[in-house]
Amino acid sequence: MNDFKASGNPERWREYDQKHIWHPYTSMRHPLPAYTVSSADGVFLTLDDGRRLIDGMSSWWTAIHGYNHPRLNAAIEEQLKSMAHVMFGGLTHQPAIALAERLVELTARPLQHVFFCDSGSVSVEVAIKMAIQYWFAQGRTNKQRLLTIRGGYHGDTFGAMGVCDPVNGMHQMFSGVLPQHLFAPKPHRDDGTWDDAWIKDFKDLLENHRDEIAAVIIEPIVQGAGGMNIYHAEYLRKFRQLCDENDVLLIFDEIATGFGRTGKLFAYEHAEVVPDILCLGKAMTGGYMTLAATLTSTKVAEGISADGQGVLMHGPTFMANPLACRVGVESIDLLLESPWQERVSNIELQLKKELEACRNLSVVEDVRCIGAIGVVETTIPVEMPWMQERFVENGVWIRPFGRLVYIMPPYIITPEQLSKLTGTMYKVLAEWSERVG
Ligand SMILES: *Cc1c(COP(=O)(O)O)cnc(C)c1O
């Protein structure tokens, strides 16, 4: 086998990386340093200089079982022996069928049909297409807009960008080419109370534009990258009711929240509300391969072809990649065989208890937790490079953004490892309080 290694030494690799490779949301003129990871195992990331970091991010919600899991490794190795990939047009395979069976089984009963795609953003594109095509096929050709709530994040492709928070969504410069969708206010942070007045703006927008709106799209219970907002389940019940009353479909984007992260297998279970279309991704393969899915009800699936010939207009090259599907099957089985509910609820209790101390720091605005998600919101944007380095020096991997320092660790994390994460969050935030006065 060829030695695949980049030429030179670790210092040169870092330089090459900075000079030639974009990382998420970075500049080629002012590149930020990236740490070189040489391996990952359990909850640990090992850097090329030998340092081991406890991972607080699960590689952006994905690595729920930790890294280098023997069962996930074995599944993908086994699949590799029969086939790495085949096209999905006109062909099918057991990994896709087995994964679809599990997704249909685990999600709410009306969701019966699965579209596999290559990333979360694409699954949102597909969900939007499904909704517009559904109404088109019923002759309601004006229903092409979407209604959402501020503070959302649905991905980086154009259709998905169009429903991200218009200010926070990191996409302002594209507003001229994005479809003009409708935005209701950001939902109130959940403090256990509910007031019907909170839904009024949403209701007015929906009722006033019902003839133009194809669907409402939202992240149930937890808004992720748009601000890590946690909101009351009553919102979901109201969204469902208002959508039904106004002939509008309801799309839930559970790309971040799916597969147990909020303490329920899917966040919509907190409200016992079922969407017409559901987007899944991120943790679906336990962090091994990029794969996402858009699920829908028979009503929507058949409705898309109501005019007798309509087909769903999408078909990615790597649709239902067998390696990804096979590891997805294994990840789901592993999750269901594990005491995940107990693990996630223990993590929640510990996060609530241990992050509480952060409230006393002058730079801290709010602390909130749900399931295996712990968020500390700061009063001013964090100094990213400084804070990132402090975390690494303390042996943890936590990647803050904006005014958010947050963790969503692998479910297998031990109480001691979790204390190390929360303790370091407090320590570094306390240092930063001193630093900014
Ligand atoms: C990450 C995310 C997406 C986008 O998924 P990608 O795989 O990054 O394209 C969409 N919606 C939500 C809620 C997400 O958290």
Side-chain angles (χ1 to χ4, degrees):
M1 206 161 41
N2 283 330
D3 182 0
F4 83 97
K5 276 208 169 75
S7 43
N9 54 30
E11 192 45 46
R12 184 188 168 274
W13 303 341
R14 270 190 293 277
E15 276 168 21
Y16 196 92
D17 179 282
Q18 289 212 4
K19 192 154 177 239
H20 295 279
I21 311 179
W22 260 296
H23 287 259
Y25 300 96
T26 54
S27 153
M28 274 293 149
R29 283 192 76 154
H30 310 285
L32 296 171
Y35 299 90
T36 310
V37 188
S38 50
S39 66
D41 194 82
V43 297
F44 290 99
L45 305 178
T46 303
L47 302 184
D48 64 344
D49 58 9
R51 281 185 290 180
R52 270 157 61 88
L53 311 178
I54 297 178
D55 178 26
M57 308 306 290
S58 299
S59 283
W60 280 337
W61 312 84
T62 64
I64 54 176
H65 310 293
Y67 301 91
N68 199 17
H69 196 286
R71 267 182 64 182
L72 301 181
N73 290 1
I76 214 162
E77 281 164 13
E78 202 47 44
Q79 180 55 40
L80 191 55
K81 289 179 194 155
S82 48
M83 61 185 158
H85 184 65
V86 288
M87 64 187 278
F88 212 53
L91 298 175
T92 193
H93 45 77
Q94 285 196 42
I97 299 164
L99 180 56
E101 268 186 319
R102 282 162 178 75
L103 296 178
V104 167
E105 188 67 25
L106 290 180
T107 54
R109 184 169 294 258
L111 302 169
Q112 289 290 321
H113 308 274
V114 183
F115 189 99
F116 287 115
C117 31
D118 12 29
S119 73
S121 300
V122 175
S123 81
V124 170
E125 301 288 329
V126 170
I128 295 172
K129 279 193 187 179
M130 283 177 175
I132 293 173
Q133 278 200 248
Y134 173 80
W135 292 114
F136 193 90
Q138 328 293 311
R140 310 277 302 267
T141 51
N142 276 341
K143 283 167 86 71
Q144 299 212 336
R145 293 179 87 183
L146 297 160
L147 168 61
T148 185
I149 47 181
R150 286 177 191 270
Y153 176 79
H154 297 284
D156 290 351
T157 52
F158 275 82
M161 272 201 291
V163 284
C164 288
D165 187 278
V167 183
N168 250 340
M170 312 177 255
H171 306 128
Q172 255 174 310
M173 79 187 86
F174 301 111
S175 59
V177 284
L178 290 179
Q180 297 303 301
H181 294 308
L182 298 156
F183 292 87
K186 183 172 173 158
H188 286 254
R189 203 157 285 168
D190 186 16
D191 62 358
T193 63
W194 172 258
D195 184 341
D196 275 339
W198 294 345
I199 203 77
K200 186 174 182 310
D201 292 306
F202 180 93
K203 182 170 186 280
D204 290 347
L205 275 170
L206 189 57
E207 289 175 352
N208 293 336
H209 297 272
R210 52 175 290 169
D211 293 330
E212 300 162 63
I213 299 176
V216 163
I217 179 166
I218 54 121
E219 297 154 277
I221 305 292
V222 182
Q223 296 182 291
M228 302 297 291
N229 185 31
I230 303 168
Y231 63 88
H232 201 292
E234 187 60 20
Y235 275 104
L236 302 186
R237 291 188 276 270
K238 292 284 191 274
F239 293 154
R240 180 72 269 181
Q241 184 197 339
L242 290 165
C243 282
D244 288 342
E245 288 168 7
N246 290 283
D247 271 355
V248 165
L249 298 178
L250 181 58
I251 305 170
F252 283 170
D253 176 349
E254 292 233 22
I255 293 165
T257 51
F259 303 102
R261 181 57 68 179
T262 67
K264 303 277 188 189
L265 204 48
F266 300 102
Y268 64 70
E269 294 171 20
H270 289 282
E272 290 174 39
V273 159
V274 180
D276 300 293
I277 301 174
L278 175 68
C279 297
L280 298 175
K282 290 207 162 99
M284 193 156 78
T285 64
Y288 269 61
M289 303 276 298
T290 178
L291 184 69
T294 314
L295 275 75
T296 191
S297 63
T298 302
K299 175 185 111 169
V300 173
E302 292 187 352
I304 288 169
S305 309
D307 56 4
Q309 37 194 319
V311 296
L312 181 61
M313 293 302 287
H314 214 91
T317 306
F318 281 93
M319 187 169 187
N321 172 260
L323 290 173
C325 288
R326 178 66 188 88
V327 75
V329 167
E330 202 65 25
S331 174
I332 290 174
D333 290 353
L334 193 54
L335 180 68
L336 298 179
E337 288 163 28
S338 73
W340 66 271
Q341 267 160 313
E342 199 187 323
R343 283 179 178 161
V344 173
S345 85
N346 288 340
I347 292 173
E348 175 172 329
L349 287 175
Q350 198 181 338
L351 285 172
K352 283 183 168 155
K353 186 161 152 258
E354 296 182 354
L355 289 179
E356 193 54 31
C358 293
R359 268 188 218 281
N360 303 325
L361 299 170
S362 63
V363 288
V364 171
E365 170 87 34
D366 188 39
V367 176
R368 47 190 186 265
C369 307
I370 184 171
I373 308 170
V375 184
V376 176
E377 184 174 336
T378 55
T379 53
I380 50 171
V382 300
E383 286 172 69
M384 247 292 272
W386 176 85
M387 199 172 273
Q388 184 81 90
E389 204 176 317
R390 291 301 297 136
F391 281 131
V392 171
E393 284 164 5
N394 280 281
V396 301
W397 181 246
I398 297 174
R399 187 159 173 85
F401 76 88
R403 296 194 292 116
L404 298 165
V405 183
Y406 65 108
I407 53 174
M408 56 280 195
Y411 305 164
I412 56 153
I413 196 163
T414 65
E416 297 72 35
Q417 291 163 340
L418 187 56
S419 288
K420 169 83 179 172
L421 285 176
T422 57
T424 309
M425 277 168 88
Y426 179 84
K427 180 180 169 197
V428 170
L429 281 162
E431 286 171 13
W432 189 51
S433 278
E434 296 275 297
R435 205 174 134 83
V436 298

